[in-house]
Amino acid sequence: METIVFLFSFSALGVLYAMNSIPELQEPYVILGVGMAVLVLVFLFYFLITRGNPPKDVLFFVFAVFCFTCVIDLISALQQDGVVSGFMEFYEKTGEPYLGSAYAIMMCYWDGIVHFVMYLMMISRITDRKSYRTMGLFWAGSLCANMSVFIVGIVAGKYGLEIRPAFWINFVFLLLPVWATITLFIRAKDRPLIGGYNAHHVQTMNLIWRPQDLMLVLLLLAAMAFTLLRGLVALGSPLEACSVYLEQYEPYLSDPVGFPKVMMLHILFYGLPLLGSFVYGLLKPGCTWMPDWTMFFSGALIQCQWAHIGASLHSRTLAPFRIPGDSLCCVLMANVLYALVPILVALRVNSNPYFFLKIAPFPGQTGLPNSEEKDTKYKDK
């Protein structure tokens, strides 16, 4: 099935070429109507071809339809960078002019490549009746962060006066991932939440005897400080440290396009509490929510950092807002490390989850009937 989805997705090239060649299809409200109609037709195509053997997971249709739009995003980015032509000239003029911004270009590359590959992998696992929950949470975090920053940045930035009817299509790509996120969070976890002897042994160890966790706590604290600094810069704080950082390191944070400021505020108000909760989760044993939320947040932050770093270096960003040459290495290293911190935490939590499991009651513990005590063993489930 993933092969069919892969091949059919490239039919988007024909749709784009036709719309770019027919002036009647380039009116603002016509673009909105055609866009919604195409999404419905793509859904109907997959619904009809799977009627004989319908997928067990309804998210299959979400992933299949989004594969189609991934090709559109990739073509948009490639055309903006001058790699291809003849597909989307009309769309930047009468559809979504903000797609020509550096942030949107980098966002489209991420969607057209990373999300596309993830959709195909998740479709393959759905077809094979295998779980994809962990990957799904990473994707959900990535796309939710992607679209929330994108939509708010359009309205709050300089493109707020250039909103056309096609803008409303973006809410489909925000609301469906939100629904998918809720679906994935309430779905049964890939591994048990109860641990036995090994979990009990790990959870009795102090942080000083867990050097990997100690290092991650220090990295998380540094990430929290970095988040707070850039959030204050985005808020226009008069503190000297904020002024120096804005002028000498990341002037892109003041770019009038609005996307970098909205992103920093998103991370400040939503990411900072999560980073703090991860520190708590590494200190307090039995936080069963850690595997899910670290994976979700790592997807969100890596997407944000990709778009942020790429846009601050892209030629579409005006020279005064790009990273200064004398601080380029320092800024890139800080941003890359910042993006890696939640990924490192997620890898640690998911690869060795004993510390984050609830402890199974041992035989002889009070409060359990004898029949239940006999079923409880020292081994991990």
Side-chain angles (χ1 to χ4, degrees):
M1 182 57 67
E2 63 271 18
T3 303
I4 296 175
V5 173
F6 174 80
L7 294 175
F8 182 76
S9 297
F10 285 92
S11 65
L13 299 177
V15 175
L16 292 176
Y17 185 79
M19 294 185 69
N20 198 61
S21 304
I22 303 173
E24 290 78 10
L25 298 179
Q26 298 173 12
E27 296 298 323
Y29 283 100
V30 175
I31 292 175
L32 174 62
V34 171
M36 296 302 296
V38 167
L39 292 179
V40 172
L41 290 174
V42 173
F43 166 75
L44 290 175
F45 170 79
Y46 289 116
F47 178 77
L48 292 174
I49 67 171
T50 58
R51 287 188 66 184
N53 185 24
K56 299 298 182 182
D57 193 330
V58 69
L59 289 180
F60 164 86
F61 297 106
V62 175
F63 301 150
V65 173
F66 281 10
C67 276
F68 186 90
T69 62
C70 282
V71 175
I72 296 176
D73 281 347
L74 182 58
I75 293 301
S76 174
L78 291 173
Q79 180 147 326
Q80 296 293 345
D81 279 341
V83 179
V84 299
S85 61
F87 289 98
M88 295 194 68
E89 286 87 350
F90 76 98
Y91 201 74
E92 184 179 351
K93 296 177 182 177
T94 56
E96 297 187 82
Y98 34 80
L99 288 179
S101 65
Y103 175 86
I105 292 172
M106 301 309 299
M107 180 196 76
C108 287
Y109 275 126
W110 183 269
D111 191 54
I113 299 174
V114 178
H115 286 163
F116 188 48
V117 172
M118 293 179 69
Y119 291 139
L120 295 176
M121 292 174 67
M122 290 188 289
I123 288 171
S124 175
R125 296 192 70 84
I126 290 173
T127 304
D128 295 338
R129 309 292 176 88
K130 296 179 180 178
S131 175
Y132 63 92
R133 187 174 181 275
T134 299
M135 184 188 301
L137 288 172
F138 185 89
W139 159 80
S142 175
L143 191 54
C144 286
N146 182 340
M147 294 310 302
S148 60
V149 171
F150 184 58
I151 291 175
V152 178
I154 293 168
V155 178
K158 72 175 187 178
Y159 292 103
L161 297 176
E162 299 184 49
I163 293 177
R164 313 287 169 76
F167 165 78
W168 300 104
I169 299 178
N170 291 301
F171 283 90
V172 175
F173 303 99
L174 175 64
L175 296 178
L176 283 178
V178 170
W179 168 70
T181 301
I182 297 172
T183 301
L184 290 168
F185 266 108
I186 64 177
R187 186 171 293 179
K189 296 180 182 292
D190 294 339
R191 55 170 62 95
L193 298 178
I194 306 298
Y197 177 78
N198 288 338
H200 176 75
H201 174 69
V202 172
Q203 293 183 16
T204 56
M205 299 172 63
N206 291 325
L207 183 64
I208 192 66
W209 302 113
R210 294 182 283 123
Q212 184 182 29
D213 290 351
L214 177 60
M215 180 61 66
L216 289 175
V217 167
L218 295 176
L219 288 173
L220 284 168
L221 293 175
M224 292 174 67
F226 192 54
T227 300
L228 182 60
L229 172 64
R230 297 205 297 182
L232 292 175
V233 170
L235 288 170
S237 172
L239 293 176
E240 183 179 357
C242 296
S243 301
V244 171
Y245 187 80
L246 180 62
E247 294 174 4
Q248 299 183 14
Y249 295 95
E250 288 200 70
Y252 179 61
L253 295 178
S254 62
D255 193 319
V257 294
F259 298 118
K261 181 175 292 187
V262 169
M263 181 187 296
M264 293 306 115
L265 294 179
H266 269 62
I267 299 175
L268 176 66
F269 293 122
Y270 302 110
L272 185 60
L274 278 174
L275 291 170
S277 68
F278 296 159
V279 173
Y280 174 82
L282 289 170
L283 298 175
K284 177 71 173 178
C287 294
T288 57
W289 47 267
M290 280 284 282
D292 290 350
W293 279 102
T294 53
M295 189 59 64
F296 179 84
F297 184 67
S298 62
L301 195 61
I302 191 66
Q303 191 282 328
C304 287
Q305 285 297 105
W306 161 267
H308 178 72
I309 296 171
S312 62
L313 298 172
H314 199 277
S315 59
R316 289 291 181 96
T317 298
L318 297 177
F321 299 109
R322 297 181 209 160
I323 302 174
D326 53 353
S327 59
L328 179 61
C329 291
C330 177
V331 173
L332 289 181
M333 288 179 60
N335 276 275
V336 170
L337 181 60
Y338 181 65
L340 290 177
V341 169
I343 295 178
L344 294 175
V345 176
L347 290 174
R348 181 266 177 271
V349 171
N350 284 276
S351 63
N352 187 10
Y354 290 134
F355 188 78
F356 311 99
L357 302 177
K358 293 186 180 298
I359 299 297
F362 296 150
Q365 230 174 326
T366 59
L368 285 176
N370 291 335
S371 60
E372 290 184 27
E373 290 181 346
K374 291 179 181 179
D375 293 334
T376 307
K377 303 297 182 182
Y378 282 88
K379 64 181 180 181
D380 290 285
K381 295 184 180 179

